[in-house]
Amino acid sequence: QMCIRDRYQRRVHGDTLMRQGKRVNLQFVQDQWRKGPLEDVPLVPEHGRGIFCMSLHGNTLVTGSADHGLRVYDVETASFKRELFNKKYGHHEWVTSCAHLKDGRLLSAGMDSMLCLWDAHIVKCDTLLGHQGSISKVMTDEYNVGISASYDCRLIAWDLDSKSDAQTLIGPHKDAILDFDWRNSLVVSGDKNGVVAFWDLNRGRDFKTVRCHKGAVSKVVLYSDAVNSNLILTGGVQDGTLCMHDMRTNKLVFCEQLHRGAVNTIVSSLSNNIFTGSADRSIKKIDLVRGYKISSQMKATEAVYEMVQVFNLTVAGCGDGTILTFDNDTGECLYGFGVMSKGAVRCMKVTDDCSKLICAGDDNNAMVLKFA
């Protein structure tokens, strides 16, 4: 039977690992993920309101909140570094998305239609203007290019070195863009009307538009196993449907209602499986090798808002403030752990060495779970 442990009921095991200058015992960490965290540490000071987004760059974590601010923490020491907000710099509305650049700078977006490009070391930012509605998501790449999507039905590509808009993608969307994904020159976006647009970033225009969902598109994910499968995955809000387009042919290869509620999150494993988490309190596992067959279903305690994959495990963040850890092969829930004192878990990140999981959501502070 699934065991849910409260965040204040800590399980501390004897041998911990030194990571500074020493090799992490991977087998120890992998085994610990199957047992549960050794320790849970809240990041303080907390935000004034719930957390909507996170970005992790090495040991530097940034959280963005409905309190209009972003906070910077060191997850190795669980220490607060600074708040990205003051009278001169920052957002005037809820922070909706954020992403690090490789040099440590941060790009953040808000409901105020603004992008803030923050210095890596001090509380100072350049404001990037171009959108006329709330910004739903930002992404950055290794070449200091950023892309933002907005409720104004547009995507904008930004040169973050010159701090200027390089290209505006506009046309097929007639309602708010809710999500997008980006790889090389391919950008795929989904909107509130169920329209999915395929963009060639080099040419600056869309080359395909489909309406494969009855209602809003909640998630867009580009999946590749670097061998046979190169898929564009989209999830629906009202229809609970997962659709897959082949990147090479741009043809629809799968479209099926998997859930009775919204598809809130889509992740993939290294073993050619896709996992969908839904508001209907379930997770479906789709086997790409066996012709897109649903190979298992995992039951959650509440609506699933976020998922991550680590060591052949699926970790789900739920609406009741718990995380649930499932074995990908058996579908068994190994344990649950309460990380929020109120509301849902909406954001999760795993550190590069897999020793920590950071969770955040409707509770005002982020929580670091240590597995080594």
Side-chain angles (χ1 to χ4, degrees):
Q1 183 174 343
M2 181 181 66
C3 171
I4 297 179
R5 294 189 290 276
D6 187 83
R7 60 185 275 194
Y8 300 110
Q9 196 174 15
R10 301 183 177 182
R11 295 181 62 190
V12 181
H13 295 249
D15 296 328
T16 58
L17 297 177
M18 296 295 292
R19 290 179 302 281
Q20 299 293 339
K22 294 185 179 180
R23 182 180 299 175
V24 175
N25 185 325
L26 199 61
Q27 188 61 53
F28 177 93
V29 178
Q30 184 172 349
D31 291 345
Q32 198 59 51
W33 273 93
R34 299 184 64 85
K35 297 174 184 177
L38 294 163
E39 187 179 6
D40 55 284
V41 181
L43 295 177
V44 293
E46 63 183 26
H47 281 280
R49 300 177 74 175
I51 297 169
F52 286 155
C53 58
M54 291 195 305
S55 181
L56 184 63
H57 180 69
N59 286 322
T60 300
L61 175 77
V62 176
T63 55
S65 169
D67 67 5
H68 308 179
L70 299 109
R71 299 198 175 212
V72 185
Y73 303 93
D74 185 319
V75 295
E76 183 64 33
T77 60
S79 59
F80 174 71
K81 298 175 76 173
R82 60 189 173 276
E83 182 176 21
L84 302 181
F85 180 83
N86 59 31
K87 291 182 179 180
K88 189 174 180 180
Y89 300 110
H91 291 283
H92 308 302
E93 275 289 350
W94 295 4
V95 180
T96 54
S97 183
C98 61
H100 276 98
L101 282 68
K102 64 178 182 180
D103 58 12
R105 289 180 293 164
L106 181 88
L107 183 66
S108 66
M111 291 180 68
D112 54 9
S113 308
M114 292 190 342
L115 292 166
C116 293
L117 182 59
W118 296 93
D119 187 273
H121 306 291
I122 61 175
V123 184
K124 182 181 179 181
C125 71
D126 291 290
T127 300
L128 307 180
L129 300 176
H131 285 294
Q132 297 174 358
S134 175
I135 300 172
S136 52
K137 185 176 180 178
V138 293
M139 294 181 70
T140 59
D141 73 357
E142 64 270 30
Y143 303 108
N144 292 339
V145 174
I147 297 181
S148 56
S150 171
Y151 276 52
D152 66 6
C153 311
R154 298 183 298 167
L155 298 105
I156 299 179
W158 303 86
D159 181 336
L160 299 177
D161 286 329
S162 66
K163 301 165 188 173
S164 62
D165 56 321
Q167 198 169 64
T168 299
L169 306 178
I170 189 170
H173 293 299
K174 307 303 179 186
D175 208 336
I177 301 172
L178 301 181
D179 196 27
F180 75 94
D181 203 0
W182 165 33
R183 183 174 302 158
N184 299 321
S185 63
L186 175 64
V187 178
V188 182
S189 53
D191 71 22
K192 206 171 180 179
N193 276 336
V195 172
V196 178
F198 300 63
W199 305 86
D200 183 338
L201 201 56
N202 291 331
R203 301 175 67 184
R205 64 181 181 87
D206 62 293
F207 60 88
K208 184 180 178 68
T209 302
V210 295
R211 188 188 294 271
C212 50
H213 292 280
K214 298 176 181 178
V217 178
S218 54
K219 292 297 293 183
V220 179
V221 175
L222 302 184
Y223 166 82
S224 177
D225 64 359
V227 183
N228 298 314
S229 296
N230 296 276
L231 300 170
I232 298 164
L233 313 175
T234 59
V237 177
Q238 284 91 347
D239 59 10
T241 296
L242 175 69
C243 296
M244 305 188 196
H245 286 82
D246 191 305
M247 284 189 205
R248 292 163 294 190
T249 65
N250 298 320
K251 291 182 178 180
L252 186 67
V253 295
F254 177 90
C255 191
E256 187 175 318
Q257 182 179 0
L258 300 183
H259 298 279
R260 295 179 180 272
V263 177
N264 291 328
T265 177
I266 303 171
V267 296
S268 60
S269 71
L270 295 176
S271 53
N272 290 306
N273 292 303
I274 302 296
F275 297 81
T276 57
S278 171
D280 67 3
R281 305 184 181 187
S282 74
I283 299 167
K284 300 288 180 67
K285 174 185 173 185
I286 300 94
D287 191 328
L288 300 180
V289 176
R290 297 174 55 199
Y292 313 113
K293 298 291 185 183
I294 300 174
S295 55
S296 68
Q297 175 173 305
M298 308 167 191
K299 290 291 186 181
T301 54
E302 249 296 345
V304 178
Y305 285 96
E306 178 70 302
M307 294 190 299
V308 294
Q309 290 281 320
V310 58
F311 295 126
N312 202 35
L313 303 172
T314 297
V315 183
C318 301
D320 57 1
T322 63
I323 61 162
L324 305 176
T325 301
F326 297 90
D327 185 297
N328 284 351
D329 293 330
T330 66
E332 176 190 3
C333 184
L334 303 177
Y335 60 88
F337 196 92
V339 293
M340 299 284 108
S341 61
K342 62 179 180 181
V345 181
R346 299 187 184 274
C347 318
M348 292 193 294
K349 296 288 184 183
V350 179
T351 55
D352 292 339
D353 63 3
C354 297
S355 67
K356 301 179 191 69
L357 172 68
I358 302 102
C359 307
D362 295 338
D363 202 351
N364 295 353
N365 69 281
M367 180 70 62
V368 179
L369 304 184
K370 297 183 178 183
F371 294 86

